[in-house]
Amino acid sequence: MPAPRLIDAQVLVLDQALQLLQQAGALLPDEAPMTTAWLQAVLDALCDLSSRDALTGLANRRSFEMALAREVDRVARSDEAALLLMLDIDHFKAVNDTHGHGAGDQVICAVARAIEQAVRPMDLVARVGGEEFAIILPNCAPHVGLAVAERVRERVSELDIEVGPGRLLGVTISLGGAFAPQWVRSSPLLWMERADRQLYRAKAEGRNRACLEPQVDSLVSAEERGMLFASLNLDTQQDLP
């Protein structure tokens, strides 16, 4: 196989990329321009920018979906459950209609900060839609799941958001959650659908509440786990060309 042809860094046109990073407030590399370290720093900054929501700085939907897929695989290979929370701001359309879209953006940012403050640094908080958020909580024991969801809900309900001179606004959120239990192979889409069903239930029951899918503990022996993954590996090898 011939060696890959190296690209001369001097022929790269990076003006638009650098302008994009500057407009986003990203720190530009301190290294000498067009060196390997400088180019790597630019690429890293662009990757970070592409994975974040422009308004809140949270993970965006693309980044969330990639993290969810990784977590599904991790849970299936460990003895640690994980919790997925889907949530959105109650009656958010009324906020935009009454106070304007600028106020709506302020509400979204305030809610994003409150959610981040209510969870662990290891948890991933993402904005997945207009007023919709998601939280992936690795290694979250089933018996503490509802307490975590309630902490997030309460933190948001305590907000006084200034949307104009002398105008303070309070909002609430509804949450739905589902666990990815140990040793159960699932899919990211199915996990999201299960959490979404609980979110719809929370809204149907009056909003400003958290509903979690009932957790059924599944005890699997070490021998059964070994057989499971031996079978999975065999199936994977058979599918290879």
Side-chain angles (χ1 to χ4, degrees):
M1 179 182 297
R5 185 169 59 88
L6 298 179
I7 298 174
D8 182 1
Q10 301 299 325
V11 305
L12 297 176
V13 180
L14 300 176
D15 293 349
Q16 188 172 359
L18 295 175
Q19 184 180 12
L20 181 64
L21 291 175
Q22 191 170 28
Q23 288 176 344
L27 295 176
L28 296 178
D30 291 331
E31 289 80 3
M34 307 312 292
T35 61
T36 300
W38 186 87
L39 287 170
Q40 185 62 59
V42 168
L43 289 174
D44 291 343
L46 288 171
C47 287
D48 182 70
L49 184 62
S50 70
S51 69
R52 300 206 168 271
D53 172 59
L55 177 62
T56 64
L58 298 177
N60 60 20
R61 188 177 186 95
R62 182 193 305 110
S63 182
F64 161 73
E65 290 176 348
M66 293 173 62
L68 194 67
R70 291 194 300 268
E71 189 61 19
V72 165
D73 185 67
R74 191 196 68 80
V75 168
R77 296 178 180 277
S78 72
D79 59 354
E80 300 172 352
L83 175 62
L84 171 63
L85 293 174
M86 305 295 293
L87 56 133
D88 66 20
I89 303 171
D90 296 326
H91 303 297
F92 183 72
K93 184 177 184 299
V95 173
N96 280 335
D97 292 346
T98 304
H99 303 281
H101 289 276
D105 286 350
Q106 290 177 293
V107 168
I108 288 172
C109 289
V111 169
R113 300 287 81 77
I115 296 171
E116 282 190 309
Q117 292 167 8
V119 299
R120 304 166 298 181
M122 65 186 288
D123 301 326
L124 178 82
V125 182
R127 182 184 178 207
V128 296
E131 71 275 22
E132 301 167 350
F133 299 85
I135 313 172
I136 303 173
L137 299 107
N139 191 17
C140 182
H143 68 276
V144 302
L146 185 58
V148 173
E150 282 294 327
R151 183 169 69 239
V152 174
R153 185 193 64 78
E154 290 174 1
R155 182 65 64 93
V156 172
S157 70
E158 294 168 355
L159 291 173
D160 286 321
I161 307 165
E162 187 173 359
V163 296
R167 289 191 299 162
L168 296 178
L169 185 64
V171 295
T172 61
I173 57 173
S174 298
L175 305 93
F179 281 92
Q182 307 95 313
W183 312 112
V184 176
R185 181 77 57 179
S186 183
S187 71
L189 180 60
L190 178 59
W191 197 5
M192 287 179 61
E193 288 176 348
R194 288 167 47 220
D196 270 333
R197 282 198 292 270
Q198 299 307 309
L199 173 58
Y200 300 147
R201 180 162 72 94
K203 288 189 172 294
E205 292 181 2
R207 295 182 170 85
N208 189 25
R209 66 189 62 216
C211 293
L212 266 61
E213 182 182 76
Q215 172 70 6
V216 178
D217 291 330
S218 177
L219 299 179
V220 182
S221 69
E223 182 181 0
E224 289 171 319
R225 291 198 295 268
M227 293 175 62
L228 168 65
F229 287 107
S231 174
L232 289 171
N233 291 335
L234 180 59
D235 291 342
T236 302
Q237 293 173 1
Q238 290 176 342
D239 290 338
L240 293 175

